[in-house]
């Protein structure tokens, strides 16, 4: 049903249906609290009157705050008593809801609605309107809603309280119209039987003033919210820097209460849900029809036929198709005599095309489903707790609907499945919105705030109502935009759609080979016609034979095995990469990563472990900071000889003064190894420190009187005193009985600037004893805290105090104040400072080595993060992205302020420099300005996902390398090397808004664990372990792919050169080729395809990462490869020509052309074919090495696949020669032992020839170097003479 249909139905429907009476269960009844901290207090008289008639449901007073809730009358209460007191009961509740006294005007509609749970829509004014919807618009499972999905989506877009108020106003205005329309048509009401609300419909219609007053109150609330916004009393988002200074203002508190009420009205009136009971499960399908489903339409998979069509676009395959068709037509139409096998050669060529196409398409098709299986397995684990029909149930994200009441908490880092509005009360809920904004700072939320889909609950807990799902939610809109703009025009940052560097080069090679083959075939045909028809006087019918010979030459020239070789190499490498935590979605991404020149990486989870960890401990005069990511702080503290007294104090303070919700989970085997943790990330880091110090936090906590809730000690839990954490105090403490002194010991932790001012003593690093706080102490701790902060670390102070047994824990200090100006607890003053603990998200241990490998491989690494500059620089320096020369000379502290210009840049500054603003207000990317920045840029902090897109686009399009003078200057003056070609950019991302950048980059890496679905869809490779080291692995395999294809090209083109020359010579002298087309097809396709798999299976070596990336414009065929190919081809041509012309005399066999004239297969040509093949097999071993290595057998036995394929190919060749006379045009009797030995010796000669080529090439290189040196010396001498 469309939104238009819903609205029409909404405006025209005036049916009336009753609401069935809910079952009355005593379990849901409870006493009401006599007071509230949120609104006007209920008088004791009102509560007494209410309880005299019945009991009030506790949901009304949830968490000591009045909220719209149902007032339930005890089922055993006398009806007359109920009638006598219900006015006062409703008046008391209404006065709290509307915050106006008296509330007599509101009590009428409350009384009219909420008695004995007759309406499932629980709550005050919201219940009244919801009940009105049920009675006047039909069944609750089909009744239209007063808001549309589009309007709710606009609320998600605007994300402010004015938008919330506007939405409420629209809904109430529609409700008013419906009520007025229904009042004029009372005869349409339906009654569902006695005892239902429908039986009282008449009385409802007779009192429309009650509804109008209720609507008026809601509109009054709307106006209050609008006024609050106009007067700027509402912070749009509460920040993580502590409470906003105005949050203590009564006006701001009132505004927050208004927003809380508005969220509840939205939930119950407009969305027909309830914070307490959720939605009616019968409405699920209706809600999906009205507001959409949360199961986003999956990206359409390419069909198998489409993948086949894509594979057919290869230039070589197109040539083969044409060649095969021509061959079949010519052979079948011109063949004389029996044509039972004349079609074989053309069919074999077409069959080879089918094999390549099917293999390529099958691999791509299987990759699609592998990705789908990964996605589904992840989706099945994404479940959320929602309230439906009063019960909390677990449903998958796809099953969430608008109106669901979602319960989230930070223990499972819950990801929000749809856009929501937060309902009160909340428990310190803070959201991580980095997936959408790129900003890693947590954002505190208040009731009435919009919670966007794709964000995560990082701290606290809360309830929220879902307002937009699927395509209507924020993440859904972004996902749709990503998929729909694949071919969008007009976006200056859009991908230009160019092929990967590998396929660009292969296409160029294929075209050149095609042109050369066509020229050779034309030459063969022309020469054959000249010699045959003019010189020898052959019949005109011989033209067909000449044409077949020309086709054979063309078939030899075209590398039929190349497409399959490339596909097999990519497929083999991608499967190997899968076992090394890289899921390759697009095969060409394997090789592209091998050409990468720049990696733009995230920080959290990629470079770091995504787990807060204690890394520094400062006490007395000792600064114990761990710099090696493989070392634990606890071990380091022990190794530095810290006294056991201080270690015990540290462990006791942490263990006792942490929340029960923060726990470490140990492995089952030894019970000591930490398997996982849950709770507050900061406290988890502290508990890990206790564990690393060799102590058991649980044992300390459970054996401490006044802290333990276990066993007999649990009876004394009340003897302890907790001072809870709050943003106003910025600290928390726990006092427990001290059996040694008979008094108490208070343990405290919190912000250094707060605790430091309350400490009168500190522990000496020499003796471990408490000494008075002196000038050194007053300076040392703030300075240490500042130093940690400059390194991007979060600092906590730990302190303790001994208290007498009769100490008054409620006593307040007259001198010390909390952050909000309120008096501090006296117990939390005059403390002894234990020390400072600094925590951070530490670097993964393997990252520094991986970064070093990148630099050795000529790959620049840039850090792009939403974190603040200090944190970003600290991690970048530890990882090795930043080196000492990036900092100003004369500075020793490696912090952000000491970096050289443009090495670090914040996102806002970056955008301001690389974009020009036109007069129309549109932004225009400035490539020249970007080129002035990017060579220096190493860290981009506080960046947004759009900055990633700009960076990927600018790097990819930069032609700075063409300015040789500037590149030379950067190298000499700044030690900056600019890659001598266009950049090949790899980009990592995990957030929804990272998707465009991942698509724009040459290679997009998405995080398999932390990444959103949209990011994974946009990426080329998925890092299954979210680890930067896996990116380096991908680069190594990518370079191996490139090297494997180079090896095969060297092998294939050597075959082609020798075969083309052989075929041309045969055509010139005998007007036929000594190698039959079917024999050449075996060499070029089947044998070469096996060779491609053998060479592709060569495992990568570390040497691949010790040379720079290959330029985009460099040819795949290097000078050394040309030397190898020409040298081996010359040897093979020499052997074949010798066998062709001198073979009959040397071997005592009849010349092959004479035997062929009798339509028989000759021994002569069989020897040539066999020797030719064995030379290729031995040369296959040579091709394992590309750089002139002398030991071509090195590592061959570590690759069993290569050895196996070599043996299989040799065995097949032997079978063909001995038993393949009919199919492969070889001698019927095969070859004898002497002839076989000759072929093997000639084949093995390729190994000797390769060694000769290597020696000659090195001598030539040495000669060139010396000649170049002499030329330079001569030029310098000439210049010197000119000066003199």
């Amino acid at each position: 049903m469309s939104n238009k249909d819903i609205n029409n139905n909404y405006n025209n429907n005036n049916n009336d249906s009753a609401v069935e009476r809910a079952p009355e269960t005593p379990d849901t009844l409870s006493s009401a609290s006599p007071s509230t901290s949120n609104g006007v207090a209920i008088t004791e008289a009102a509560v007494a009157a209410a309880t005299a008639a019945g009991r009030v449901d506790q949901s009304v007073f949830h968490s000591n705050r009045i909220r719209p809730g149902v007032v339930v009358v005890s089922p055993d209460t006398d009806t007359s008593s109920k009638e006598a007191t219900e006015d006062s009961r409703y008046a008391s509740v209404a006065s709290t809801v509307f915050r106006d006294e008296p509330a007599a005007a509101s009590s009428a509609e409350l009384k009219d609605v909420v008695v004995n749970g007759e309406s499932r829509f629980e709550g005050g004014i919201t219940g009244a309107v919801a009940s009105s919807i049920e009675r006047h618009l039909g069944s609750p499972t089909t009744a239209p809603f007063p808001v549309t999905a589009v309007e709710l989506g606009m609320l998600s877009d605007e994300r402010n309280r004015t938008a919330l108020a506007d939405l409420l106003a629209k809904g109430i205005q529609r409700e008013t119209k419906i009520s007025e329309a229904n009042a004029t048509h009372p005869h349409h009401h339906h009654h569902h039987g006695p005892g239902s609300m429908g039986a009282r419909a008449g009385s409802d219609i007779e009192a429309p003033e009650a509804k109008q007053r209720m609507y008026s109150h809601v509109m009054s609330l709307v106006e209050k919210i609008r006024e609050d916004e106009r007067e700027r009393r509402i912070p749009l988002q509460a920040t993580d820097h502590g409470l906003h200074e105005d949050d203590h203002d009564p006006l701001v508190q009132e505004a927050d209460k208004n927003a809380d009420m508005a969220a509840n009205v939205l939930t119950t009136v407009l969305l027909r849900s309830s914070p307490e009971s959720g939605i009616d499960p019968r409405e699920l399908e209706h809600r999906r029809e009205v507001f959409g489903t949360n199961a986003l339409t999956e990206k359409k998979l390419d069909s198998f036929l489409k993948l086949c069509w894509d594979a057919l676009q290869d230039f070589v395959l197109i040539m083969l198709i044409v060649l095969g068709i021509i061959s079949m037509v010519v052979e079948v139409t011109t063949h004389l005599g029996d044509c039972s096998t004349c079609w074989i050669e053309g069919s074999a060529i077409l069959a080879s095309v089918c094999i390549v196409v099917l293999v390529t398409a099958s691999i791509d098709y299987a990759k699609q489903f592998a990705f789908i299986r990964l996605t589904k397995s992840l989706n099945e684990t994404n479940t959320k707790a929602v309230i439906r029909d009063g019960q909390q149930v677990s449903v998958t994200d796809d099953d969430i609907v608008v109106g669901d009441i979602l319960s989230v908490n930070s223990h499972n880092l819950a990801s929000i499945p749809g856009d929501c509005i937060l309902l009160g009360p909340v428990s310190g809920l803070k959201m991580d919105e980095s997936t959408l904004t790129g900003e890693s700072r947590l954002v505190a939320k208040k009731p009435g705030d919009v919670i966007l889909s794709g964000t995560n609950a990082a701290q606290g807990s809360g309830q929220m109502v879902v307002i937009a799902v699927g395509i209507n939610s924020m993440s859904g809109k972004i996902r749709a935009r990503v998929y729909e703009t694949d071919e969008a025009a007009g976006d200056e940052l859009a991908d230009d759609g160019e092929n990967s560097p590998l396929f660009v080069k292969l296409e160029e090679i294929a075209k050149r080979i095609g042109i050369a083959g066509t020229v050779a075939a034309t030459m063969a045909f022309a020469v054959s016609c000249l010699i045959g028809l003019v010189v020898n006087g052959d019949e005109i019918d011989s033209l067909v034979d000449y044409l077949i010979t020309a086709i054979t030459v063309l078939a030899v020239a075209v590398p039929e095995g190349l497409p399959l070789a490339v596909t097999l190499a990519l497929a083999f490498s991608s499967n190997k990469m899968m076992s090394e935590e890289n899921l390759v979605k697009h095969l060409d991404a394997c090789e592209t990563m091998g050409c990468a020149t720049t990696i733009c990486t995230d920080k959290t989870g990629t470079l770091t472990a995504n787990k807060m960890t204690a890394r520094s401990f400062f006490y007395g005069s000792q600064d114990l900071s761990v710099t090696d990511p493989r070392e634990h702080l606890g071990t380091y503290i022990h190794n530095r000889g810290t006294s056991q007294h201080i270690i015990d104090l540290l462990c006791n303070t942490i263990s006792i003064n942490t929340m029960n919700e923060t726990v470490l989970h140990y492995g089952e085997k030894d019970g000591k190894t930490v398997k996982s943790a849950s709770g507050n990330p900061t406290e988890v880091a502290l508990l890990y420190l206790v564990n690393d110090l060799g102590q058991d936090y649980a044992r300390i906590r459970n054996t401490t009187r006044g802290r333990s809730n276990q066993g007999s000690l649990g009876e004394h839990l009340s003897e302890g005193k907790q001072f809870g954490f709050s943003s106003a105090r910025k600290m928390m403490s726990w006092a427990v009985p001290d059996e040694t002194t008979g008094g108490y010991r208070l343990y405290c932790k919190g912000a250094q600037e707060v605790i430091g001012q309350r400490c009168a003593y500190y522990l000496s690093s020499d003796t471990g004893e408490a000494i008075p706080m002196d000038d050194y102490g007053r300076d040392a701790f703030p300075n240490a805290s500042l130093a940690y902060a400059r390194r991007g670390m979060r600092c906590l102070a730990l302190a303790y105090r001994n208290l007498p047994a009769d100490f008054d824990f409620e006593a307040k200090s007259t001198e010390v104040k909390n952050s909000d100006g309120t008096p501090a607890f006296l117990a939390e003053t005059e403390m002894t400072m234990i020390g400072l603990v600094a925590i951070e998200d530490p670097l993964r241990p393997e990252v520094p080595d991986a970064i070093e490998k990148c630099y050795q491989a000529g790959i620049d690494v840039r850090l792009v993060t939403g974190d603040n500059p200090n944190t970003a620089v600290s991690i970048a320096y530890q990882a090795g992205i930043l080196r000492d020369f990036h900092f100003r000379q004369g500075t020793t502290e490696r912090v952000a302020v000491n970096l050289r210009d443009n090495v670090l840049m914040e996102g806002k500054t970056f955008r301001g420099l690389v974009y020009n603003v036109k007069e129309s207000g549109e932004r225009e990317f400035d490539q020249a300005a970007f080129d002035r920045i990017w060579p220096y840029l190493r860290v981009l902090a506080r960046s947004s996902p759009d900055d990633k897109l700009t960076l990927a686009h600018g790097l990819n399009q930069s032609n700075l390398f063409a300015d040789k003078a500037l590149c030379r200057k950067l190298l000499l003056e700044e030690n900056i090397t600019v890659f001598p070609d266009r950049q090949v950019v790899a980009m990592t991302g995990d957030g929804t808004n990272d998707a465009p950048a991942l698509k724009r980059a040459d290679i997009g890496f998405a995080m398999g664990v932390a990444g959103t679905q949209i990011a994974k869809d946009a990426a080329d490779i998925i890092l299954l372990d979210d680890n930067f080291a896996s990116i380096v692995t991908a680069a190594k395999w990518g370079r191996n792919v490139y090297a494997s294809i180079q090896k095969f090209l060297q092998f294939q083109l050597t075959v082609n050169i020798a075969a083309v020359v052989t075929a041309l010579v045969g055509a010139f002298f005998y007007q036929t080729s000594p190698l039959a087309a079917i024999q050449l097809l075996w060499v070029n396709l089947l044998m070469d395809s096996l060779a491609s798999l053998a060479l592709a299976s060569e495992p990568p070596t570390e040497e691949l990462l010790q040379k720079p990336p290959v330029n985009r414009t460099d040819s795949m065929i290097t000078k050394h490869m040309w030397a190898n190919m020409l040298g081996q081809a010359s040897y093979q041509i020499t052997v074949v020509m010798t066998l062709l012309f001198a073979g009959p005399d040397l071997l005592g066999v009849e010349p092959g052309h004479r035997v062929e004239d009798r339509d028989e297969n000759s021994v002569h040509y069989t020897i040539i074919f066999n020797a030719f093949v064995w030379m290729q097999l031995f040369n296959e071993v040579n091709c394992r090495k590309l750089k002139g290595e002398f030991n071509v057998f090195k590592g061959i036995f570590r690759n069993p696949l290569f050895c196996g394929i070599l043996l299989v190919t040799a065995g097949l060749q032997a079978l063909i020669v001995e038993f393949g006379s009919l199919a492969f045009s070889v001698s019927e009797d095969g070859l004898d032992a002497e002839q076989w030995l000759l072929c093997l010796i000639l084949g093995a000669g390729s190994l000797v020839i390769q060694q000769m080529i290597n020696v000659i090439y090195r001598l030539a290189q040495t000669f060139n170097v010396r000649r170049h040196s002499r030329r330079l010396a001569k030029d310098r001498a000439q210049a010197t003479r000119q000066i003199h």
Side-chain angles (χ1 to χ4, degrees), residues 412-465:
N412 54 5
L413 288 176
S415 176
I416 307 304
D419 294 344
C420 302
I421 290 287
L422 185 61
L423 303 172
V426 295
S427 178
L429 182 65
K430 292 184 179 180
M431 302 300 297
D432 178 2
E433 298 183 345
S434 59
T435 57
L436 288 177
T437 66
E439 175 60 67
S440 62
R441 178 171 50 84
L442 301 183
V443 180
K445 293 293 183 178
K446 297 180 179 181
D449 285 349
V450 174
I451 310 292
L452 292 176
S453 54
T455 60
N456 297 286
Q459 288 185 24
S461 60
Q463 270 192 340
M464 53 194 74
V465 60

Side-chain angles (χ1 to χ4, degrees), residues 44 192 276 312 395 523 529 555 652 689 920 1018 1233 1238 1261 1281:
E44 294 184 3
H192 290 254
E276 287 75 33
L312 274 172
V395 298
M523 184 186 299
C529 290
N652 287 343
L689 175 58
S920 60
L1238 174 65
Q1261 275 189 319
R1281 283 195 298 271

Side-chain angles (χ1 to χ4, degrees), residues 1057-1059 1061-1062 1128-1138 1175:
I1057 292 171
V1061 172
T1062 300
Q1128 288 289 345
S1130 298
Y1131 168 70
Q1132 294 175 14
I1133 292 169
T1134 301
V1135 170
V1136 171
M1137 293 300 104
T1138 302
M1175 285 188 289

Side-chain angles (χ1 to χ4, degrees), residues 502-766:
L502 170 67
F503 283 92
V504 170
K505 294 177 181 180
L506 288 177
E507 195 170 304
E508 183 64 25
I509 290 173
K511 288 180 179 179
R512 292 183 179 180
I513 291 174
I515 293 172
T518 303
V519 171
T522 303
M523 184 186 299
F525 182 73
V527 172
S528 296
C529 290
L530 180 64
I531 296 176
L533 297 179
V534 178
V535 178
N536 297 335
D538 292 342
E539 298 292 332
I540 195 69
D541 293 344
S542 299
L543 284 173
V544 175
D545 296 331
Y546 304 157
L547 180 60
I548 292 174
T549 301
I551 292 174
T552 301
V553 172
L554 181 59
V556 169
V558 177
E560 293 93 337
L562 182 58
L564 185 59
V566 173
T567 299
L568 291 175
L570 292 173
F572 179 83
S573 296
S574 67
N575 287 334
K576 288 292 186 180
M577 289 170 67
M578 181 73 172
S579 64
E580 298 194 37
E581 308 301 335
N582 284 266
L583 173 60
V584 181
K585 291 176 57 185
H586 307 119
L587 288 181
D588 58 347
C590 295
E591 183 277 333
T592 306
M593 187 58 212
C595 298
T597 60
T598 294
I599 300 174
C600 299
T601 178
D602 285 332
K603 178 187 75 71
T604 304
T606 308
L607 296 181
T608 63
N610 198 19
K611 181 180 72 175
M612 298 304 293
T613 306
R615 303 296 291 166
S616 295
F617 176 51
F618 180 86
Y619 74 101
S621 59
Q622 292 289 321
D623 182 4
L624 306 180
S625 295
V626 179
T627 57
D628 187 346
R630 290 162 292 200
E631 188 173 8
H632 296 290
L633 177 60
T635 305
Y636 189 72
I637 291 174
H638 273 303
N639 293 341
R640 294 298 296 268
T642 307
S643 71
Q644 190 61 41
H645 170 65
I646 292 179
I647 292 177
D648 290 342
L649 266 177
L650 179 63
C651 292
N652 287 343
T653 303
I654 294 172
S655 302
I656 293 172
N657 195 28
T658 48
M659 303 301 294
N660 289 338
E661 292 78 7
T662 304
V663 293
L664 302 182
H665 305 289
Y666 295 92
E668 297 180 358
K669 293 184 178 180
D670 57 5
K672 296 181 180 180
T673 305
V674 180
K675 187 177 181 182
S676 61
S678 60
N680 182 279
T682 301
E683 291 192 338
V684 167
L686 295 176
L687 293 186
Y688 267 106
L689 175 58
V690 173
N691 184 76
D692 293 338
L693 286 168
Q695 300 201 25
D696 185 351
Y697 81 93
R699 181 192 60 79
I700 296 173
R701 184 183 293 176
N702 294 333
T703 57
T704 300
R705 187 184 180 108
R707 179 64 180 86
S708 172
N709 57 3
Q710 305 290 319
S712 60
L713 286 178
E715 300 175 2
H716 305 282
L717 180 61
S718 60
E719 296 177 12
K721 171 64 178 178
Q722 182 187 13
F723 299 90
F725 177 86
S726 72
S727 298
R729 288 164 30 79
K730 295 185 179 180
M731 59 188 299
M732 69 175 291
S733 305
W734 208 306
V736 295
D738 187 349
E739 297 179 359
T740 59
T741 64
Y744 290 87
R745 172 165 285 185
L746 178 137
Y747 296 100
C748 181
K749 75 170 185 287
Q752 183 277 327
E753 64 271 18
V754 175
I755 292 182
Q757 295 178 356
R758 304 188 182 194
C759 288
Y761 307 91
Y762 68 97
L763 296 180
S764 169
S765 55
D766 297 325

Side-chain angles (χ1 to χ4, degrees), residues 828-869:
E828 295 178 322
T829 62
E830 300 295 317
M831 295 185 293
T832 299
M833 175 73 78
I834 299 173
L836 307 179
V837 176
I839 64 174
E840 67 176 352
D841 183 8
L843 203 66
R844 288 179 182 264
E846 61 273 18
V847 164
D849 290 340
I851 298 288
E852 183 60 33
K853 288 180 180 178
C854 285
Y855 281 129
Q856 290 177 359
I859 303 174
D860 279 340
V861 182
R862 291 176 169 84
L863 175 60
V864 186
T865 177
D867 263 325
N868 65 75

